[in-house]
Amino acid sequence: MDKRVLMTGFDPFGGETVNPAWEAVHRLDGRALQGGWTIVSQQVPTVFDRSIAVLREAMGRVRPQVVICVGQAGGRAQITPERVAINVNDARIPDNAGQQPIDTPVVPGGPAAYFTKLPIKRIVAALREAGIPAAVSNTAGTYVCNHIFYGLMHLIATEHPQVQGGFVHIPYLPEQVAGKTEPSMALDLIVRGLELVAAVAAAASDAGGEADLAVTAGQEC
Amino acid sequence: MDKRVLMTGFDPFGGETVNPAWEAVHRLDGRALQGGWTIVSQQVPTVFDRSIAVLREAMGRVRPQVVICVGQAGGRAQITPERVAINVNDARIPDNAGQQPIDTPVVPGGPAAYFTKLPIKRIVAALREAGIPAAVSNTAGTYVCNHIFYGLMHLIATEHPQVQGGFVHIPYLPEQVAGKTEPSMALDLIVRGLELVAAVAAAASDAGGEADLAVTAGQEC
Amino acid sequence: MDKRVLMTGFDPFGGETVNPAWEAVHRLDGRALQGGWTIVSQQVPTVFDRSIAVLREAMGRVRPQVVICVGQAGGRAQITPERVAINVNDARIPDNAGQQPIDTPVVPGGPAAYFTKLPIKRIVAALREAGIPAAVSNTAGTYVCNHIFYGLMHLIATEHPQVQGGFVHIPYLPEQVAGKTEPSMALDLIVRGLELVAAVAAAASDAGGEADLAVTAGQEC
Amino acid sequence: MDKRVLMTGFDPFGGETVNPAWEAVHRLDGRALQGGWTIVSQQVPTVFDRSIAVLREAMGRVRPQVVICVGQAGGRAQITPERVAINVNDARIPDNAGQQPIDTPVVPGGPAAYFTKLPIKRIVAALREAGIPAAVSNTAGTYVCNHIFYGLMHLIATEHPQVQGGFVHIPYLPEQVAGKTEPSMALDLIVRGLELVAAVAAAASDAGGEADLAVTAGQEC
């Protein structure tokens, strides 16, 4: 068989020289998963709109059954699959093309939000089972991460209804915070974690979109 | 003139004996604001569905032009107006009626999310100007706070289209965390802050729904 | 009778325009406590060595039975009586006279550390009982706060053996962090807390240096 | 030549099934370092007094020129060499023999504190240079970590004056916090970090106790 997980990672931004997302994602390019799946990696620019255009082109070219976009979440200690993408851009800092949109929609006229189609609770359970710190997140922020996540879900809704897709945030690499107090995660562990994310999402796709686990990932705020 | 801000606060939950939301909100009951406005306070139960029913009844009775629901955000150090309500219930702990829904919609068939109609950036600017710690939040969680917030926005969309409404999270009171390490905020400061929130929202309503400030409140994640 | 608690507070430093320590301490000047005690407040400069010289002069003039030095602990959410002062200056930022000592002793030839003579566990218990967030701290840092604390304990050891003395760190005021995420504490609550600290220390002095409570305030790290 | 770094790690405590200290330290047993040095690893029990007795026996047997005790610092994101050991035991939880001392001295009649003899700023600089998160810490807590650190420095002061010694705290392993929010560090990175700590300490010993770097590691509190 011939099934593909398309995985994207951003280039560096915000003064960083590496982005753990692309560092991890490109190491998974070509990786074979159980059940006849292969990971295809794609770099995307940390740029509003252009990132979605690159994603759209890649989806058309690769024809994946599963798409997982990956981004850096500075300050988080865990791998965090995101629950929901919201239709807003609100940039604290400029993107890599100098754009800094404030309270603009990702897609004018699009719905206020999209929920992921990934089995995020199954994914978190599998990561923890493997000893990898993980949790569901209820906000992907309002920067390019949320932007491509919303763009992905809108592409799925309007052009690729059969695709399972979502977004996963990952921590800083240790070398990014060697002199700071923020938490980090070793690259090897992130790579292992993202491979597991892809494998669980692929298996769920094979199972015809089985229901996610009925376990709480709730937060009071 | 005769204009009303309806303000709601929850009863205690999660083992707490007070809820700072109701402690603060009930002190504002009857408070007159500039421009002919009065605050009307309403307690709501920390119970899925019932909280929205109580809110709906109060909106029909009070006929407010502005509605501000208030809830406790244990662990936050600031007053945080919420940007977006999402159509999901995912309870980490049971509500006060013993219900613990997992991944159910607040309103079956409702949109995935609603954005607040409060001028949240204007509110945050006014709070900071007054020396009160404040920030926009991009997640109201998945418990009863997000639930009533979504319910409010759905009531506005379907029954009260002229109403400006939203949700504000507040910190613990000092006595709730006397032996813990979480941040807190004195009741007097919360009351002053919420009065200011109501005043800014009322003024924006008077101004016919003027645009919010074009300043960033963005977060990368 | 005529007994005095000398309480000191620093002037602002590090770019701040207020220092909560002096804001709170000067409000307690002249405050009468049970048992014939009066609080005498003294400002001290945020300057290495000079702060201790001012403290020494004040102790000679006021002739207190109890001395409590107070300083700002940016980032802490609680009132934290300090357990131990160490014989080192290591300044991350210059003091208000432009000095930035690195790894110099507070008192050349002095002992490596002094333990406080205040009943810090009794104090924490009283603060919590009053609903004020509090905890014992095991590090006063390496800046002017630890410096004056060590200086105080050395003055007690060498010149005023009958004095009970120690150091208390307090949080930021809300207006100092209106636009930041750090925790804060309202000035009224800090003032109430410090008055309680003075009262408990005064009572312990009256009791002839009774033993502190045998309750844990331990930390693994 | 024949020079030895003795490195100790605790067994698990507090409900954990592994202790990252021993996990990392035992992997370094026999490791050769530049300049004719070898690491000798020794497990110590998480027990007051007994841990120091085991350390004392090992120092007599191994005859090291450098001793580095290692312990877990749950909640820290960095490798943190400790600056100072204090003469107090104050246990929040019982040790592995059920003892829970409160405000007892480590060594009755011993000095209030000892400063480390390791070049902690040189060590932190080397770790950061290697991309490993690191910082000087000013408190080793009041549990068995501080206890063995104080015991080590007292043994050096009284029996082994030629030895350079100190204590290093390390983060949780990822699998310890797979379902929690605390930061962690991969075992490989900890092992690499501790080897570097040993190498820098060994080189400083070879250099005859050269002065530490004159860079700040100061904290206001």
Side-chain angles (χ1 to χ4, degrees), chain C residues 9 30 39 71 94 100 121-122 124 154 164 171 175:
Chain C
I39 296 176
Q100 192 178 3
K121 293 178 174 184
R122 211 174 280 280
V124 166
H154 193 69
Q164 307 291 309
E175 57 264 37

Side-chain angles (χ1 to χ4, degrees), chain C:
Chain C
M1 258 309 289
D2 192 34
K3 294 169 291 185
R4 289 157 308 281
V5 176
L6 175 63
M7 203 169 244
T8 72
F10 288 104
D11 55 5
F13 69 94
E16 301 285 341
T17 56
V18 299
N19 188 316
W22 179 241
E23 293 302 310
V25 165
H26 90 80
R27 275 168 178 76
L28 288 168
D29 193 28
R31 184 76 54 101
L33 303 173
Q34 282 208 325
W37 291 82
T38 306
I39 296 176
V40 179
S41 299
Q42 172 71 44
Q43 196 184 55
V44 288
T46 302
V47 176
F48 287 98
D49 294 328
R50 191 130 52 87
S51 53
I52 295 176
V54 171
L55 170 66
R56 183 167 185 264
E57 184 280 328
M59 287 176 74
R61 178 169 36 83
V62 175
R63 296 276 147 199
Q65 287 76 25
V66 172
V67 182
I68 301 168
C69 296
V70 181
Q72 163 187 303
R76 293 193 191 165
Q78 308 168 296
I79 294 181
T80 46
E82 295 289 347
R83 187 194 292 262
V84 63
I86 59 177
N87 192 13
V88 71
N89 304 312
D90 192 4
R92 191 183 60 84
I93 54 176
D95 70 11
N96 284 351
Q99 305 173 95
Q100 192 178 3
I102 293 180
D103 292 350
T104 62
V106 180
V107 175
Y114 285 109
F115 289 100
T116 187
K117 296 200 169 211
L118 297 182
I120 50 178
K121 293 178 174 184
R122 211 174 280 280
I123 287 169
V124 166
L127 288 168
R128 292 180 177 179
E129 176 75 23
I132 303 174
V136 167
S137 165
N138 294 314
T139 174
T142 58
Y143 194 56
V144 183
C145 288
N146 172 75
H147 177 85
I148 199 171
F149 179 18
Y150 186 94
L152 166 63
M153 300 315 296
H154 193 69
L155 285 169
I156 290 174
T158 56
E159 302 182 20
H160 300 277
Q162 80 295 346
V163 169
Q164 307 291 309
F167 191 92
V168 177
H169 263 122
I170 58 174
Y172 280 131
L173 295 176
E175 57 264 37
Q176 290 180 281
V177 291
K180 302 176 187 165
T181 58
E182 282 98 339
S184 61
M185 190 176 280
L187 182 56
D188 280 359
L189 202 64
I190 295 175
V191 171
R192 272 212 297 136
L194 291 180
E195 181 176 352
L196 201 47
V197 171
V200 173
S205 171
D206 278 343
E210 60 179 336
D212 200 357
L213 296 181
V215 295
T216 183
Q219 291 187 282
E220 283 83 84
C221 63

